[in-house]
Every structure is written in structure tokens, then in C-alpha cells.
Amino acid sequence: MSGGQAEKVGASVIKQLGIKIVLLLTAEQIREHLDGNQFFNATQQLIALERALYSNLGGKSEEELSVEQSKVESLYELLKLKVFRIIKDSIILAPANPELLLDAVCAIVEQEVEDETYKSENPPDKSVSYRPRNWREFWMDTVKQSVADRMKDIQGTSSAENLSTTALCFLHMGRTMKEDMITVVNCIKQHYPVQFNVCSTYAECYHNYFSSQLQLIAEFELEDKDTYLLLSWVQNLYPNDIQKNSILMKELDEAKLGSLLPPKMIKQLEVKYLYNEAASVKNWLVKCLEMEVKRWTEEREPEKLDGHFHSELAIDVIQTIHGRQKGAEEITPELGKQLSFILLVELSTFLKRYKEFNEKNKQHSHFKAMIIANINNCTYFSMFFPQPIFRKFTQSKWLSCSETMDEIIQATSNHLSEFKTLLDPFYQGIMEKIHGHLVREYIVRLMKKKVSLKTPELQQNLSKLISAHASHLQSFCKEKGSKATWLDSALPKLAEIIRLQDSTTIKIEVAILANTYPDIRKKHLAAILYIKGNLPNSEVRSILSFLDVDTSLPTSCEPLFSDIKIS
């Protein structure tokens, strides 16, 4: 509470203690205070005038009493009008003219004090027309109306974003609530007594208005994009961008606002969203295949890219599925997972139709080129699907991610079945590419610098986990036909470097690793050594300098580390 407010509220406390320090003014003088927006002074004088009037009714004619009462009530109406106009415009006025808001708030507080004084001085059954005046309730109604007016005023929202009317409405309400609540916290809260719970009051008003509008919209037949928009605001933007805002989080937590929509309605929207997405992707895949069929029926050789037969089909399909999956994940990870399963079913159906089309066109003049283009497409597909799951290694602790490796193996296995119709040399080539991709992706996640283990015990536990993953990966790839044995020692060697504690033995392992994979660079090794949180910087530099010496022998290995980018 500011010094000015303390002084004004202090005056109310003095009055509650029964100390009368008020110089009675005339109605005309009080009006002058009101004209000068001196609300607190006017309130004190008006209460004193009111008390004097109603405590000294004797000796006055009805006409005289009516005239004086009319003057008092007229002043009250003017005071109320001016004070609550300030309250209604608080969001705009508070940053520019805090003293004006403070004066208005203190006037309301003074009226609250007088209401309580009246109740304590009069028996419950005594009723008069002028008390209690209940300005606190009117304050609540004014705040609610102010919030509603600001949330309705979409005219101030720029349409430059090229958004739909629904999207603009959501954007306006979200921005308004966030910006206004920041103003409440920074510029308004300090002028109110604690018992007003001003932040919670404003927050509830904004939340309830936002919620009511969303529920109203959700009850209508929504377009696909509006369903996505609703879910995005309810489950992502509102909880993450507004409720978790650093300035607002504490205040909004205390308000206990909850979700913008009830759970049952959210579930219905999710079901509708998943159905719409599946239908949309299915239609798009059918169109993609129709366009591919049309290209083949034109009896033209496939296009070439960098000297290789190429088709845009795989790129179109992957971009479509990846885009939809990413959109669902941005709503919630769980919804993204549900959509992934649905889209995989649609993709499987698409691939079967694609295969059937190829089998029916063996007499095509460019059939061989078609098959080569198809094999190239298969490589794109095989590389794409395990990759979303690999992200989980950076989203969870390494020491609790064995289930993630199982998911990767299972997802890869599921999609390999689509390539069983290829001749062995082609299938083996694809499998070896997948093998290398899996090993590289694992190393990339290991080098993300998400964990630094400070004790030998923790490092040994991680080393054992990596070794177990390496064994699992190696067995799976070998079983599926990969003969890329040159990849087998990469992960075990990295695991051994993480396990060892003596810098000399670490250097020996580094030398062996560099001999086997001569494309490893200092940045790669540094990312691995980062995991060893108890390794002094001097020893890290000494180990890294070991790569300055070219100790590598000729090797038949393909590049492994050169494709791994370290930021």
C-alpha cells in the first residue's frame, strides 16, 4: 500500500475508533471537491453531511428534509458515477494516473467502512433507504462489466495476421487477458486493500468470460481449423502462455482458475479433431496417389535429382503426415501420440495401394525407372518414422529411457515389413542405411549435453545402459539383414569412455575409437566428455589434444561422425 493510500485508509480507521475529526462542509462545497476529482475528501464530507442530516431530523419540515435529502442523494449519485467510471477504466487509467485510481478506491473503502459502522450502531431490524450502500458489490459488477467490454472489443485487434474471425476472436481475448492482467498485477493491485482480492477478482472475470465464449463456440458445428484452434487455446496456449507467464503465474495459481472448457467437452473435441485429421490425411494421400498414377500413365521417364530417379510422392506424403503429427503434439503430447497411430494406419493403406499400382504396371516402358524411384522413396519413408521417437531421448532422463529404445526398435520393425518384397540386395542396402541412421541418431541424442554426471557410479550406470542399447540395436539390425558390422563398436566404445575414470586409459580408448572412425572430431569427443562431470578441465583438454595427432590407420568404414552436427 502506498503512503497516500495508507493516510486515507488511516483516516477510516480513526473514524472506526470513534474519533470525529471532520469539518462539516456544505453540499455546494462537496460538489466542488467532486468537480476537482477529490473523491476521498468528498466521500468523507458527504458521509459527515449524511450523518448530520439523518441524526437531526427534528425541527425540520417535510419539505426542508426532502430538499436536504435530495441534495445528499444527488451528491452520492454524482460521486458514485465518477468513482465507478474510474474503476471501469482502471486498465487504461492506472498506468498513467495512479493517484486518480487510488482516490477512487479509497472512496469505495470509506463507504465500506461506513456501511459496517452503520450495521454496528443499528439493530438488524432497523431499515433505512440510504444504508448499507453496498459499493463493494457494485465494484464487483463494475469490474465484471469492464472486463466483458474489453474482451468484446475485437476492433482493436489487427487483422494483418490474415486469420479467420474465430481465430481473431481467440487471439484478441488471449492477448487482452494477458496484457490486462499484467497491468492489474503491476499497476492496480497495489492501490487496493488485501481483502479486495483484486488480482483473483479480475482473473476470474477474464477467465469466466473467455470460458463462456469458448463453450458457446464449441456448441456449434465447427470447421476443422476451428476445432484445432479451440484445442490449441484450451490445452496449449492458455495454460502455457498465459497461466504460466512469469509475471502472472503466482496470482493465477492463487485464483485456481482451472481449464477453459470442461473435461467432457475437451474429450469430444479431441475425438472430432482426430477423426477430421484422419479423414483429411486419407483424402490427401488418395489425391497424391492419383497424381502419381497420372504421371506414370503419361509414359514419361521419372524426373531425376542429382542424377537419381526421383519422385515428389514421398516428400509430399512425409510432409503431410509430419505436419499433422506436429500440430497434434503442439496441443498435447498424448494427442500427438494418438494421431500418430491413426496416421500410420492410413499410411499403411496408402503403401499397399502404391504397391498394387506398381504390380499392375510391369509392362510400362519405364518400369525399371519406376522401381528405382520407388526404392528411393522407400528410403525416405524408412528414415522418417523412427526419427520422431528418438526425440524422447532428449525429453527424458537417459537412465530411464529403455522403453524408448524398445519403441524405436518396434517402430522400425513395423515399417520394414513394407520392404520385404524387394530383392535381397536392395533390401539389405536399405537395412544397412537404417542401421547407420539408428546408430547416428542415438549418438546425436547422447551428445545433446542434456546431462552431466558428477560421480563414477552414475557414469557406470549410463555406460551399462548404452552398452545394453548397443547390444539390442546390433542384434535387431543383424537379424533384419544388416551386414554393416563396422557400426558395431561405435556405441560400446563411447560407453567405455564414459565408464573409465583414469585419463590415460581414456586416451587409449579414444585412440582406438579414432582409428576405427577417423572422421570423429574434437567437438564430438568434447560432447561425450561433457557427460563426465567430475573430469577436470585440464584433463579434458589433454584428452582432446590427443586427436591432434593423426594415429588413424586405413579403414574401410563409411563416415559416421561427419554427418553428426554439434551446436
Side-chain angles (χ1 to χ4, degrees):
M1 183 181 295
S2 67
Q5 186 177 10
E7 180 181 346
K8 292 174 181 178
V9 174
S12 298
V13 174
I14 290 173
K15 189 175 76 172
Q16 283 182 294
L17 293 175
I19 303 173
K20 308 297 184 181
I21 312 177
V22 178
L23 179 63
L24 195 62
L25 301 182
T26 66
E28 287 71 21
Q29 288 172 319
I30 294 174
R31 187 177 294 275
E32 289 178 6
H33 280 297
L34 288 175
D35 290 340
N37 291 331
Q38 299 176 43
F39 305 127
F40 179 67
N41 290 335
T43 299
Q44 286 188 311
Q45 294 297 334
L46 190 52
I47 289 173
L49 187 62
E50 175 187 68
R51 277 179 163 254
L53 171 65
Y54 289 105
S55 63
N56 186 24
L57 298 177
K60 295 181 180 179
S61 67
E62 289 187 8
E63 184 178 352
E64 289 175 326
L65 184 61
S66 176
V67 170
E68 292 184 21
Q69 286 177 334
S70 178
K71 286 182 179 180
V72 169
E73 293 306 318
S74 176
L75 288 172
Y76 262 116
E77 286 301 314
L78 180 59
L79 173 64
K80 188 176 182 179
L81 178 67
K82 283 178 169 286
V83 165
F84 286 100
R85 184 180 294 161
I86 299 301
I87 298 302
K88 190 172 185 298
D89 294 336
S90 293
I91 300 295
I92 298 172
L93 290 177
N97 197 340
E99 284 299 321
L100 192 61
L101 175 60
L102 172 60
D103 222 36
V105 170
C106 288
I108 297 172
V109 173
E110 193 74 0
Q111 290 297 328
E112 283 289 295
V113 171
E114 184 63 16
D115 277 351
E116 294 302 316
T117 303
Y118 169 79
K119 292 176 186 177
S120 67
E121 293 177 350
N122 294 276
D125 60 344
K126 184 177 181 180
S127 176
V128 295
S129 60
Y130 64 93
R131 286 288 169 190
R133 293 189 182 273
N134 296 318
W135 278 27
R136 175 76 169 271
E137 294 178 11
F138 197 74
W139 173 80
M140 291 280 294
D141 292 340
T142 302
V143 169
K144 185 176 180 180
Q145 186 59 51
S146 172
V147 167
D149 290 345
R150 290 186 61 77
M151 293 289 268
K152 288 176 187 174
D153 186 20
I154 196 172
Q155 302 299 324
T157 302
S158 171
S159 58
E161 291 93 344
N162 194 27
L163 301 175
S164 67
T165 302
T166 303
L168 278 174
C169 178
F170 291 171
L171 179 61
H172 166 72
M173 289 191 293
R175 280 180 179 173
T176 300
M177 178 176 181
K178 181 178 178 179
E179 293 171 3
D180 287 5
M181 280 305 303
I182 289 174
T183 300
V184 171
V185 172
N186 290 337
C187 304
I188 294 179
K189 174 185 175 182
Q190 59 190 315
H191 300 307
Y192 280 86
V194 175
Q195 64 267 26
F196 271 68
N197 296 316
V198 65
C199 287
S200 292
T201 300
Y202 271 96
E204 288 169 9
C205 290
Y206 280 106
H207 176 87
N208 292 339
Y209 186 91
F210 206 162
S211 176
S212 66
Q213 293 303 302
L214 263 60
Q215 290 189 51
L216 188 64
I217 291 172
E219 290 172 358
F220 289 94
E221 188 66 30
L222 298 173
E223 296 183 16
D224 294 355
K225 59 184 179 181
D226 291 336
T227 303
Y228 172 80
L229 199 60
L230 260 174
L231 289 172
S232 293
W233 270 102
V234 172
Q235 295 185 274
N236 178 20
L237 297 174
Y238 185 77
N240 293 321
D241 190 46
I242 297 178
Q243 290 182 308
K244 291 183 181 178
N245 177 273
S246 59
I247 298 174
L248 304 179
M249 187 161 58
K250 178 179 178 294
E251 305 290 350
L252 297 184
D253 281 348
E254 291 177 356
K256 295 181 172 55
L257 301 177
S259 174
L260 285 173
L261 292 179
K264 184 177 180 181
M265 188 172 283
I266 292 174
K267 192 64 181 176
Q268 292 172 343
L269 288 170
E270 286 181 341
V271 170
K272 182 176 182 179
Y273 168 73
L274 292 172
Y275 176 82
N276 290 343
E277 289 296 278
S280 178
V281 169
K282 181 178 181 178
N283 291 336
W284 174 249
L285 292 178
V286 168
K287 289 181 180 179
C288 284
L289 187 56
E290 288 175 350
M291 292 172 63
E292 190 74 2
V293 169
K294 185 174 183 290
R295 281 194 288 267
W296 290 127
T297 54
E298 293 174 353
E299 294 288 332
R300 290 188 302 175
E301 186 179 73
E303 297 178 3
K304 285 186 178 181
L305 181 65
D306 296 330
H308 303 285
F309 285 122
H310 170 73
S311 170
E312 293 290 323
L313 180 63
I315 296 173
D316 291 341
V317 171
I318 289 172
Q319 286 181 342
T320 298
I321 292 178
H322 180 64
R324 299 304 177 99
Q325 182 183 14
K326 185 177 180 182
E329 288 176 348
E330 288 175 352
I331 297 175
T332 66
E334 179 58 30
L335 196 63
K337 188 175 182 180
Q338 291 180 43
L339 185 61
S340 292
F341 287 124
I342 295 172
L343 296 184
L344 287 177
V345 172
E346 296 299 335
L347 178 64
S348 178
T349 302
F350 164 80
L351 290 175
K352 288 176 182 177
R353 291 175 180 168
Y354 189 33
K355 176 184 174 185
E356 291 169 0
F357 163 71
N358 288 329
E359 290 176 347
K360 291 177 182 178
N361 286 272
K362 292 182 179 179
Q363 304 305 316
H364 195 284
S365 58
H366 298 292
F367 180 69
K368 290 182 180 179
M370 288 169 55
I371 294 301
I372 293 172
N374 289 343
I375 291 173
N376 291 336
N377 273 345
C378 290
T379 302
Y380 291 133
F381 285 128
S382 67
M383 295 301 183
F384 169 69
F385 286 99
Q387 197 170 19
I389 305 174
F390 261 109
R391 294 189 199 135
K392 294 184 180 180
F393 277 124
T394 61
Q395 297 168 353
S396 60
K397 294 181 179 179
W398 274 92
L399 299 182
S400 59
C401 60
S402 292
E403 291 182 1
T404 302
M405 176 55 72
D406 292 338
E407 285 185 56
I408 291 169
I409 297 296
Q410 185 60 51
T412 306
S413 180
N414 291 342
H415 295 290
L416 279 173
S417 61
E418 301 291 342
F419 310 133
K420 285 293 186 180
T421 55
L422 287 172
L423 293 173
D424 287 346
F426 298 128
Y427 177 82
Q428 180 183 321
I430 289 177
M431 188 60 233
E432 289 179 2
K433 290 290 185 183
I434 292 173
H435 188 174
H437 176 74
L438 293 176
V439 171
R440 285 188 188 91
E441 284 297 317
Y442 193 100
I443 295 174
V444 166
R445 269 57 194 178
L446 190 62
M447 292 180 173
K448 282 289 185 181
K449 292 189 177 181
K450 294 292 182 181
V451 63
S452 180
L453 305 177
K454 305 296 184 182
T455 66
E457 182 181 4
L458 290 175
Q459 293 170 22
Q460 288 170 10
N461 289 340
L462 178 57
S463 176
K464 289 177 183 178
L465 184 67
I466 296 170
S467 297
H469 287 167
S471 178
H472 192 183
L473 202 59
Q474 179 181 338
S475 298
F476 168 75
C477 292
K478 183 177 180 181
E479 176 189 340
K480 295 299 182 181
S482 171
K483 299 190 182 302
T485 55
W486 63 275
L487 292 165
D488 293 346
S489 64
L491 294 180
K493 289 299 179 188
L494 295 179
E496 189 67 3
I497 291 172
I498 292 171
R499 183 187 70 84
L500 293 171
Q501 300 300 308
D502 178 67
S503 61
T504 301
T505 53
I506 292 174
K507 288 178 181 179
I508 294 173
E509 286 300 324
V510 169
I512 297 172
L513 181 66
N515 280 331
T516 308
Y517 305 100
D519 62 334
I520 189 170
R521 296 293 178 263
K522 283 185 178 183
K523 60 184 180 180
H524 301 122
L525 182 57
I528 294 297
L529 295 178
Y530 176 84
I531 297 172
K532 302 176 68 63
N534 61 343
L535 197 63
N537 289 335
S538 58
E539 292 190 20
V540 171
R541 289 192 294 271
S542 178
I543 295 169
L544 290 175
S545 67
F546 201 70
L547 290 183
D548 292 334
V549 181
D550 186 6
T551 58
S552 62
L553 299 173
T555 175
S556 60
C557 289
E558 298 179 17
L560 176 63
F561 288 90
S562 56
D563 291 332
I564 297 175
K565 308 299 181 184
I566 301 295
S567 56

